[in-house]
Amino acid sequence: MKKIAVFASGSGTNAENLIKYFTNHPSMEIPFVLSNKAGAGVHARANALGVPSYTYTKEEFTNGTVLKFLQENDIQFVVLAGYMVMIDDEMLEAFPQRIVNIHPSLLPKYGGKGMHGDRVHEAVVAAAETESGITIHYLNDEYDAGDVVFQAVCEVLPTDSPADVATKVHALEYEWYPKVVEQLVQSL
């Protein structure tokens, strides 16, 4: 059984979707969710689905405790789902091309530090873009600059609000993120 760790900082809708997708999977599982925020909604979502969730401190992340926890639990792949902390070099080296993130735009557009969630959708609408979408990418040592694994596109109408764009982008996230993660983990 290949084990996937999910990291999340927020409400956890993508984490919940991933957990549901991999529940009862014949060869992959999500044994737990990790978060840097004790009050994050992801804890309630994970626990409601019977998946333990843990909060760690900044010190535990930087001193290697989190990495050691992943290694002791035989994690083979790491998925970021609304995770708002830069992954350090030590973890990148421990999981080369085995950490992915999902970004709510067609990178390289609207990526980088501080570009997440509604900020991205507001920028897309302000620029009068005709399309947006999702990018699933490997992590490297720069925000949203790792190798692109997958992109999916949605139309942006001139009448769309940022909330409209968000709805379309979320639908793409929920449809594609679990499938792409499954393909990547199968190739390990």
Side-chain angles (χ1 to χ4, degrees):
M1 187 69 72
K2 293 181 180 173
K3 296 181 180 182
I4 304 163
V6 175
F7 281 66
S9 297
S11 70
T13 57
N14 269 312
E16 177 181 41
N17 189 45
L18 287 159
I19 292 166
K20 286 178 178 178
Y21 187 87
F22 288 103
T23 296
N24 299 318
H25 193 283
S27 61
M28 299 171 207
E29 68 176 339
I30 297 173
F32 53 79
V33 172
L34 295 173
S35 181
N36 60 316
K37 296 188 178 203
V42 70
H43 295 294
R45 290 180 189 275
N47 292 326
L49 294 170
V51 173
S53 64
Y54 305 102
T55 303
Y56 61 85
T57 65
K58 184 176 182 178
E59 181 182 344
E60 289 170 324
F61 190 79
T62 58
N63 72 14
T65 301
V66 172
L67 177 56
K68 184 178 178 184
F69 180 75
L70 295 175
Q71 292 168 330
E72 287 173 348
N73 283 280
D74 196 30
I75 296 298
Q76 286 96 24
F77 203 80
V78 176
V79 177
L80 307 186
Y83 184 65
M84 300 300 174
V85 176
M86 185 73 156
I87 298 294
D88 63 18
D89 289 342
E90 186 178 12
M91 189 169 294
L92 290 173
E93 290 168 12
F95 292 93
Q97 297 293 84
R98 290 186 289 139
I99 305 174
V100 291
N101 183 45
I102 190 164
H103 187 77
S105 76
L106 299 171
L107 292 174
K109 288 185 173 185
Y110 311 108
K113 188 172 184 174
M115 289 303 289
H116 52 83
D118 290 339
R119 293 178 185 175
V120 173
H121 309 309
E122 290 164 1
V124 165
V125 169
E129 295 284 356
T130 59
E131 63 181 20
S132 189
I134 62 167
T135 301
I136 299 169
H137 64 94
Y138 287 115
L139 256 63
N140 65 11
D141 59 356
E142 297 178 48
Y143 286 103
D144 302 324
D147 293 339
V148 172
V149 174
F150 177 85
Q151 289 186 314
V153 177
C154 62
E155 183 179 20
V156 178
L157 302 173
T159 55
D160 280 348
S161 68
D164 295 328
V165 175
T167 298
K168 294 176 184 183
V169 168
H170 287 310
L172 292 175
E173 290 174 348
Y174 303 150
E175 177 182 359
W176 290 107
Y177 206 19
K179 293 176 187 176
V180 172
V181 167
E182 181 180 39
Q183 290 172 357
L184 294 172
V185 174
Q186 282 174 339
S187 71
L188 293 178

